Amino acid sequence: MKHLHPARFGGISRRTLVIAASVVPLFIILVSLVLATLALLALVKVQLAMDQAKSTITTALDTRQQMTSASGRALAQADINVVEQDASAAYTTLHSSFALNVLGSLPPLHRQRESLSQLVRDVGQTAAIGNGLLHQVNGLSGTTRGLTIPIPRLKSLQVSVSSAHDQLLTLDRPSNGLWGPLRSARASFDAKDSKLVALLETGSNVLSYALPLVGGDGPRQYLIAGENDAEMRDQGEVLSVALMHSVNGSFSLDNTGPSDAPLPQPVAVPLPSGTQAIFGSLQPTQLWQSVNATADFPLSGQIMQAMYQQMTGIHVNGVIALDVPTLVSLLRLYGPVSVPGIDQPVTAANASDILLHQLYTQFSYGNQAPRHDDVSAVADAVVHKMKTEHVDLAALAVALAKDVAGRHLLAWDENPSYEALIVNSGGSGAIDTKDSDRTFHLSVQSATAAKLDYYVTTRILMVVAITKQNDAVVTTYATISNHAPAGQGPSFQLGPDYINSFTPGQYVTRIYLWSPKGSHTASGISESGLVLNQTATSVLPQQQQTVNFTTVIPNAVRNGHLSLQLVPQPSLVPAQVSVQIVGGPNWNVVGPSYVTAGLDKTLAADWALTPR
C-alpha cells in the first residue's frame, strides 16, 4: 500500500503554509502593537511637553501684570525658555521615534503626524518671538528716565512688534481633517494665537502713535483737557486745560488753568445734523462745559483744538482728554504728591474724594478760584513726579491701557494717519468703530449747575427678546441712584441751581441711549454713528429712578448667533450692567442666558441659539 504524503506546493508542504498563514499575521499584529506602544509612549512625551507649553502661554496671556516689572519679565522669560526647550525636545522625539516614523508613513496617519510636527514647530516659534520681544521691552524700560524716552529703542520695538504680529498671523492653521486630541490641541493653539495677534496689532498701533506723540517725528503740541467726573457730559465736563510740548522723546507741560469761561463766539467747526439737533442748544462749539456732550470724541477733539486756538492763539496738533480715574492710575504708579493748598498728601486712595468732594465743600459759591488753583497744582505735581521718578514703562502702558478701555483717557490727532492709529488701538473714544450694528452706549449727563455725579451710580438691565422675524427687541432699563445726603443746605456741590433743580442734592439728568446703527427706536436720530434717543428724570437725595428705552434690531440672529456690545460711559463708578436673553418662539438659548458685569470696559457678549 502506498504512503500518503502531504501535498506540496513548490517544495513547501501544505502544513507549513498553514502555519505560516497563522504566524505571519500574528507577527504583524505583534510588530504593530510594539510600534503602536512605542509611538504612544513618544506621543505621551510630546503631549506632556505641549501641555506644559500651553499652560505657560495661557498664564502669560491671563496674567499680563507679570510683564509690568523687570523681575516679572525675567520670570516670564525663564518660563518661555522652558517652552522653547520643551518644543525642541518634542520635535526631536517626533522625528527620532522609529515607531512614529514607520506609522507616520502610512497614508491614513501621515497627515496627523505632519500636523503634530507643525504644531510643535509653531509653539516653539511663538516662544522664540515672545522671548525676543521681552528682551526689547527690558531694554527700552531700562533706558527710560522720567518722561524721556529713547526714540531709537522705541522705533526698534515698534518694528519688532509689527514683525511678530505678521509672523504669528501665519501660524493660525486649519484643524479640519485632524483627529481627536490633535484637532483640539490645534484649535486651542489657534485661539491663543489669535489673541496674541490681536494684542500685537493693538501694540503696534499704540507704538506707531507713541512715536509722534513723544516728538519722534519732530516737535508737537497737544492740548490736555482735564475732565471733571463730578459733572458728567458723555465724558467728564472739561474744566481745565494745559499745553503739552513733546520733542525727541521728552515732555513738558505749561499754561495749566481753568477753562470755564465761555468763548466770545462759537468756533467754525460744523456739527453733523444729528449732533446739532440733540446737543446744539448746549452750545458745544462755544462752552467748554458742553464740548463733549456728544459721544463722538473725534468731533469733540476738533472743536477743542479750535476753541483753544481762539482762546490763546496757539495751534495744537491734537487733544488728549483725561479724568480723575486716570489721575488716580498715575498716582498709584508714581506715589503721593503734596501741594500747598491741600492739608494732606494726595494719593491714589483719596484723590477722587479730595478733588471731587472735599475741595467743593471747602470753598463757597463765589470763591471757587482757589479750588481751581489746587486742582491745577495737583496735576502739575503729578507731571513733575513723572518727569523725575522712574516707573517701568510697561507698567505705565498697562495702567493707561485700562483707562483707555474705560474711556477715561482719550486722544484725537489732526493728522489723519495718526488718527487712524488711535482708532485702531481703541483710544479714540468713538463708539461706532467696531460692530456698529450691534453696539449700545448709555450716557447719564448732569442737567444742573451742581457737582452731584460724585454721588450718582447707574445700573443697566437689558432684556432681549427674539421675534418670529428674528428681530431682537431690546428693552433697556437704566436705574439712577442718588446717594447725596438728604436735608442739607444749599452749596456749590449740592445745588440747587434754581433753574433745573430746586432742592439741595436734587439730581436732574438727561439720559441718552445710543442704539445700533440700522436699529429702530422711538424718535431715534443718527448721532455719533449710531441711533440716539433721550429722556430726562429728576432724582432726589437718597432716592432712585428708572427710565427705559425700546430698540428693535432687524435680522439680529445671524448664523445661529446673537452678538451685542455695550460701550461704557467713563463715570467715576462704572455702571453695573446685566443682559438677559429670551429666546422667543423660534429659538432656544444655548448655555447661560444671563450676563452681568461691571462696565469698566466694553462688554461684548455672544449667545448661540438653536431653532425650536
Side-chain angles (χ1 to χ4, degrees), residues 524-596:
I525 189 168
S526 178
E527 207 283 326
S528 296
L530 304 181
V531 179
L532 173 61
N533 60 356
Q534 63 178 314
T535 188
T537 192
S538 171
V539 191
L540 291 173
Q542 299 297 307
Q543 295 188 17
Q544 63 182 33
Q545 294 288 342
T546 299
V547 301
N548 66 80
F549 303 86
T550 299
T551 305
V552 179
I553 307 174
N555 192 30
V557 181
R558 298 178 183 175
N559 300 317
H561 283 263
L562 173 67
S563 298
L564 299 174
Q565 69 174 2
L566 186 58
V567 176
Q569 180 184 22
S571 50
L572 185 63
V573 178
Q576 293 296 308
V577 60
S578 301
V579 184
Q580 183 177 6
I581 305 297
V582 180
N586 291 353
W587 299 96
N588 291 310
V589 181
V590 179
S593 60
Y594 191 81
V595 174
T596 186

Side-chain angles (χ1 to χ4, degrees), residues 257-277:
S259 61
D260 50 357
L263 297 179
Q265 60 186 14
V267 295
V269 176
L271 297 178
S273 59
T275 306
Q276 178 63 45

Side-chain angles (χ1 to χ4, degrees), residues 305-323:
Q305 179 195 45
M307 291 174 72
Y308 190 71
Q309 182 151 1
Q310 184 185 121
M311 185 173 77
T312 65
I314 298 172
H315 177 82
V316 294
N317 303 110
V319 176
I320 298 172
L322 55 89
D323 61 5

Side-chain angles (χ1 to χ4, degrees), residues 63-281:
T63 58
R64 274 171 264 165
Q65 195 66 30
Q66 183 185 32
M67 307 300 179
T68 61
S69 68
S71 59
R73 288 192 294 272
L75 290 174
Q77 281 192 289
D79 290 340
I80 290 176
N81 286 334
V82 173
V83 171
E84 285 195 86
Q85 293 167 11
D86 287 343
S88 177
Y91 188 81
T92 300
T93 299
L94 281 174
H95 288 269
S96 63
S97 169
F98 174 75
L100 284 176
N101 285 330
V102 171
L103 294 178
S105 65
L106 300 176
L109 300 176
H110 180 72
R111 164 80 192 284
Q112 309 304 310
R113 178 179 177 277
E114 289 301 308
S115 294
L116 179 57
S117 180
Q118 183 66 67
L119 176 59
V120 171
R121 288 199 301 271
D122 290 347
V123 170
Q125 184 177 352
T126 301
I129 290 171
N131 235 337
L133 290 178
L134 282 177
H135 178 74
Q136 282 194 275
V137 170
N138 275 332
L140 177 60
S141 183
T143 54
T144 300
R145 292 291 177 267
L147 291 181
T148 301
I149 299 172
I151 296 298
R153 284 186 179 271
L154 189 63
K155 286 182 177 179
S156 177
L157 179 60
Q158 190 281 324
V159 170
S160 296
V161 168
S162 179
S163 174
H165 167 270
D166 294 343
Q167 292 178 68
L168 290 184
L169 193 62
T170 66
L171 303 188
D172 188 348
R173 307 180 194 278
S175 60
N176 54 301
L178 303 183
W179 298 347
L182 177 56
R183 182 185 181 92
S184 299
R186 182 75 247 183
S188 177
F189 174 84
D190 288 343
K192 289 177 173 54
D193 180 66
S194 296
K195 193 172 182 179
L196 284 168
V197 166
L199 288 171
L200 289 170
E201 181 177 14
T202 299
S204 179
N205 285 321
V206 169
L207 289 169
S208 295
Y209 183 62
L211 285 164
L213 178 67
V214 301
D217 294 339
R220 289 174 67 80
Q221 295 189 126
Y222 291 88
L223 172 66
I224 306 298
E227 297 175 324
N228 183 357
D229 304 270
E231 190 169 1
M232 291 298 293
R233 300 302 180 250
D234 185 70
Q235 307 99 53
E237 181 185 80
V238 176
L239 285 184
S240 64
V241 292
L243 183 63
M244 185 183 86
H245 311 271
S246 62
V247 58
N248 199 29
S250 294
F251 299 90
S252 63
L253 201 66
D254 59 28
N255 289 359
T256 303
S259 61
D260 50 357
L263 297 179
Q265 60 186 14
V267 295
V269 176
L271 297 178
S273 59
T275 306
Q276 178 63 45
I278 300 295
F279 300 111
S281 62

Side-chain angles (χ1 to χ4, degrees), residues 403-583:
D403 292 317
V404 168
R407 299 178 74 240
H408 296 288
L409 175 62
L410 306 175
W412 170 80
D413 200 287
E414 66 178 0
N415 183 309
S417 298
Y418 297 158
E419 176 65 11
L421 293 171
I422 298 173
V423 171
N424 291 336
S425 63
S428 72
I431 61 175
D432 66 334
T433 58
K434 182 180 180 183
D435 299 327
S436 60
D437 61 344
R438 289 292 179 267
T439 298
F440 287 88
H441 173 61
L442 185 88
S443 179
V444 177
Q445 304 191 18
S446 173
T448 69
K451 313 300 177 184
L452 284 164
D453 283 280
Y454 174 80
Y455 296 105
V456 172
T457 59
T458 303
R459 294 199 320 273
I460 303 169
L461 171 63
M462 305 179 78
V463 180
V464 185
I466 311 299
T467 70
K468 291 182 178 180
Q469 293 75 32
N470 296 335
D471 297 342
V473 180
V474 183
T475 305
T476 301
Y477 301 90
T479 299
I480 316 301
S481 297
N482 181 1
H483 305 283
Q488 303 297 303
S491 70
F492 188 75
Q493 183 174 31
L494 297 178
D497 63 7
Y498 299 105
I499 299 173
N500 291 327
S501 64
F502 300 90
T503 300
Q506 180 185 7
Y507 184 64
V508 181
T509 175
R510 304 180 186 95
I511 304 169
Y512 302 91
L513 179 69
W514 282 265
S515 294
K517 184 177 182 179
S519 65
H520 307 299
T521 67
S523 304
I525 189 168
S526 178
E527 207 283 326
S528 296
L530 304 181
V531 179
L532 173 61
N533 60 356
Q534 63 178 314
T535 188
T537 192
S538 171
V539 191
L540 291 173
Q542 299 297 307
Q543 295 188 17
Q544 63 182 33
Q545 294 288 342
T546 299
V547 301
N548 66 80
F549 303 86
T550 299
T551 305
V552 179
I553 307 174
N555 192 30
V557 181
R558 298 178 183 175
N559 300 317
H561 283 263
L562 173 67
S563 298
L564 299 174
Q565 69 174 2
L566 186 58
V567 176
Q569 180 184 22
S571 50
L572 185 63
V573 178
Q576 293 296 308
V577 60
S578 301
V579 184
Q580 183 177 6
I581 305 297
V582 180

